Structures are given as C-alpha cells and as structure tokens.
Amino acid sequence: METKILDATFDENIKLCAEIIKSGGLVGVPTETVYGLGANALDGNAVKKIFSAKGRQPDNPLIVHIAAPSDVGMIVRDIPDTFDILAEAFWPGPLTLIMKKCETVPDSVTAGLDTVAVRMPEHPAMLSLIKKSATPIAAPSANLSGKPSPTKAEHVQKDLRGKIQYVLDGGNCRVGLESTVVDISGEIPQILRPGGVTYEELAKILKNVKIYDAADDSMTEAPRSPGMKYRHYAPKARMIAVVGSPEMTAKYIRQRFDDSDNTSENSGVSKKIAALMFDDFAAKNQAVVTFGACTDYGAQASGLFDSLRKLDSMNAEVIYAQVPDEKGLGFAVANRILKAATAVEKL
Ligand code: TXA
Ligand code: MG
C-alpha cells in the first residue's frame, strides 16, 4: 500500500479520511501537539490495528480525542467538577484528562484499565475530522514505538510507509511535544506526563496538583502511567543528556568534539559524535543541530523531535544533548530528552 500525504486545507480530503475512520481503518492525523495515528475509538478491532502498525505494547493505553467538551459523556462516567474547570481553561488544547470510563470504550483503548484518557485537540483539521467521522478518535503519536514523535506529515509517512493509506497534512505541529496528561479520577489531580500545558499554568487554576513520581509507586501497584515506563523518542545512536548550566554543558560538549578530532588524527579510532545544542551556546561544528535559545522553551519544544530525527540521519554513534531548565515548558522538553537518553551526565 502506498502512503499518500493529503492536504488538510481541502475539505474533500478530510471527508475521505473520515470515511476510512468510519469503515474501521487508520489515518495519520494532525494535532497541535504531534501527529497522531487515528482510528474509531469505539471500534475495538480498528483500535487493535493501531497497536500492530506502531509495534506498540498492548498494555499502553491510548488517548481518545473528542470535538467538544460536552462529548465527554459518551466515554466517561462520574465526571468530576475538576473536569469543567480544566476543560474551560485549557480546551481545546494540549491537555489530556484521565477519568473513569464508560462500558462503551473498548478494552483495547484503555489496556484494560477502568479509566480513559480524553482530550479535545485544538487543530481545526482534527476537529473537523472527528465531527465528520461522527465518533471519538483514539490516537497515539504516529511514530513507530520508541522513535521520536512526528511533528510533520513527512515524519508519519517515513515511519508508517506501507501501513496506512493517508496522512492528513495539517502543517508543522505548533506545540511540538505531546499533551500534558493529568489524572483527575482521584482526590488530588496528578500530572502523569508533562507536556504542552505547564505545571505553572495548572497550579494557577487548581488548588492542589501533584507531579506523579514513578518512584512513589509501591512495588505491588500497577504503574499509573503505563506509557512512561518505556524508553521513548530515541534516536538510533547512544544519546547522552548533559545536565548543568548552558555554559558548562556547552563547554563539555565542545571538549567532546575536540577529543574526537584528536583521536581520529592520532589513532583513527574515534566515535562519530553529534550534538543537540541551544542556538546561543552551539559549538561551531557540522554535526550540531540547534533547537532554540537556552530559555526559549517554546522553540525548543516545537523543534525537539525534528532535531532528534535530523541527528538520527547523521548516523553518529554518540549524541550529546543540552538539557534546559525545568521551568514552564522546559520541564516537558527536559523530560523528553531524558527519556530519549541512554545515559545522563550531571555537571
Ligand atoms: O499530544 C498527545 O497527547 C498526542 C496527540 C496525538 O494527541 N498523543 C499521544 O499519545 O501522545 P501517546 O499514546 O503517544 O501517549 C499517551 C499517554 C501514554 O503515556 C499513556 O500511557 C497515557 O497517555 N495514558 C493513556 N490512557 C491512560 C490511562 N487510562 N491512565 C494512565 N495513563 C494513560
Ligand atoms: Mg507516543
């Protein structure tokens, strides 16, 4: 099967994709966070195809996308008051809410959990697709499992070539990182995955909000956010996250480039290295990809996954990455870099 890119600015292309969703097929879909791999969320067989196309573990549940906050009643029972507060403040947008699920939601969507993840995305093409499909759409990020999430239609086409008929092209993703996942099924809202809506924004609206730490789980309890236990977003190379002030991490990485030049001259045995660096601290080297200034977390977020894919195509053996401060959106950027890394160097 050929995988074609369809321009989402044409309504007939959205209609074509809606027909595929209705008939139980898969489509690559644009959202403001990252591209998704969509299927009819209420069709268990359609949802299973998502797992095989991505090579995703069946114990990792999916997010269900709806076109209006009032549609939440289709898939959620016991809607808590916090829902109205958060939907009012952040929907449509990069916030996913975990609540108790209805019987209508197939087990394949929720990996057998009694909760479901729901989000109303902001991208107009995705909202239109959900409406035209007349069903909620389940969609994980449209990358092969373990790879960086796609932020351009071409990324989806590359990862899922031959596995889906169409990718609906809605342009480059505005946010560039996945949604923030917040569990509101219990007493105190808990951030399970940092993302496009920041902790600071949530804390302004909610009296109490916790950041979930996997280390807090007792050994007997099932992980609260099953997806977070897998290594993610990873390029083929070994990736080393370098943590510290931008001055120190830049100096450390420059030194690695110098060392590798010297080794190759002297003995011919050098590791091919590359680096992900801040614009304002980048080493002058062809093997450097920049992803925004050190405090421009928005630019870092929108450029990160594309940068990881570029680094991947350089065929380096080791990639060094500068890690931003954990302020605002920087918290989610740092989370993704640390998840992609095989090792962390703290300076
Ligand atoms: O921005 C996004 O969230 C994108 C776009 C396409 O909407 N989607 C996305 O989906 O990132 P995915 O499947 O790559 O990540 C979903 C995350 C996983 O970490 C998963 O474990 C968690 O949400 N999740 C889903 N349902 C859950 C549930 N019932 N309880 C706890 N975590 C859940
Ligand atoms: Mg994903």
Side-chain angles (χ1 to χ4, degrees):
M1 180 196 313
E2 203 191 331
T3 301
K4 283 198 194 131
I5 293 183
L6 297 178
D7 185 342
T9 52
F10 296 104
D11 222 34
E12 53 279 23
N13 286 341
I14 301 186
K15 278 191 195 133
L16 181 60
C17 292
E19 288 311 315
I20 295 180
I21 298 282
K22 282 188 193 169
S23 62
L26 306 182
V27 179
V29 295
T31 85
E32 74 282 14
T33 56
V34 300
Y35 275 78
L37 178 59
N40 178 353
L42 304 181
D43 176 346
N45 285 325
V47 168
K48 281 184 192 142
K49 293 180 194 165
I50 293 179
F51 287 83
S52 48
K54 277 186 57 108
R56 183 177 175 105
Q57 298 290 333
D59 68 349
N60 191 3
L62 306 178
I63 296 172
V64 178
H65 299 73
I66 56 178
S70 54
D71 290 345
V72 78
M74 276 198 265
I75 51 174
V76 170
R77 64 183 158 91
D78 303 339
I79 301 169
D81 294 342
T82 337
F83 170 78
D84 297 306
I85 299 168
L86 291 175
E88 168 75 30
F90 299 108
W91 280 8
L95 179 69
T96 294
L97 299 170
I98 310 277
M99 291 170 281
K100 297 275 186 236
K101 73 161 200 157
C102 288
E103 291 289 316
T104 42
V105 184
D107 277 344
S108 46
V109 171
T110 60
L113 297 174
D114 74 336
T115 53
V116 61
V118 193
R119 165 165 119 80
M120 179 184 172
E122 165 197 300
H123 199 295
M126 180 62 170
L127 290 171
S128 169
L129 179 68
I130 300 168
K131 285 183 203 148
K132 288 189 171 65
S133 307
T135 182
I137 295 182
S141 50
N143 51 290
L144 289 175
S145 272
K147 291 283 149 208
S149 298
T151 54
K152 298 171 188 273
E154 292 74 27
H155 295 161
V156 182
Q157 190 185 42
K158 183 156 188 273
D159 274 18
L160 299 176
R161 196 180 286 280
K163 295 184 176 171
I164 54 173
Q165 224 174 335
Y166 298 118
V167 184
L168 198 53
D169 185 352
N172 294 353
C173 298
R174 179 181 66 78
V175 180
L177 289 180
E178 300 86 345
S179 61
T180 303
V181 178
V182 180
D183 186 344
I184 54 168
S185 67
E187 283 283 290
I188 300 169
Q190 271 201 319
I191 300 175
L192 301 184
R193 176 179 74 180
V197 170
T198 64
Y199 169 80
E200 291 86 341
E201 287 171 315
L202 288 164
K204 246 188 233 164
I205 305 262
L206 298 172
K207 274 197 246 49
N208 206 345
V209 54
K210 279 192 183 160
I211 300 173
Y212 172 71
D213 179 356
D216 289 348
D217 266 351
S218 75
M219 297 299 282
T220 52
E221 203 184 339
R224 292 284 299 280
S225 182
M228 296 307 278
K229 71 184 179 208
Y230 297 107
R231 183 167 177 238
H232 272 302
Y233 321 114
K236 292 187 290 269
R238 254 170 69 70
M239 185 159 134
I240 299 174
V242 190
V243 177
S245 69
E247 291 79 8
M248 280 169 69
T249 54
K251 189 173 164 209
Y252 176 90
I253 293 171
R254 277 196 210 106
Q255 191 65 52
R256 301 284 82 70
F257 277 119
D258 290 348
D259 289 352
S260 102
D261 286 349
N262 294 338
T263 332
S264 51
E265 274 163 28
N266 298 339
S267 62
V269 279
S270 80
K271 279 218 174 355
K272 201 175 160 204
I273 68 170
L276 176 68
M277 301 185 81
F278 303 128
D279 296 7
D280 40 351
F281 285 89
K284 285 195 179 52
N285 191 299
Q286 280 186 336
V288 169
V289 174
T290 57
F291 72 134
C294 71
T295 54
D296 190 350
Y297 309 120
Q300 292 165 22
S302 68
L304 177 65
F305 288 137
D306 187 46
S307 301
L308 290 179
R309 283 177 183 259
K310 281 191 188 131
L311 286 160
D312 219 3
S313 67
M314 289 177 175
N315 293 317
E317 289 160 88
V318 186
I319 297 168
Y320 292 94
Q322 287 191 286
V323 182
D325 288 338
E326 300 198 339
K327 279 188 214 138
L329 207 47
F331 184 46
V333 175
N335 169 274
R336 300 305 190 271
I337 295 176
L338 293 169
K339 283 245 169 262
T342 32
V344 179
E345 186 69 46
K346 285 203 171 109
L347 302 181

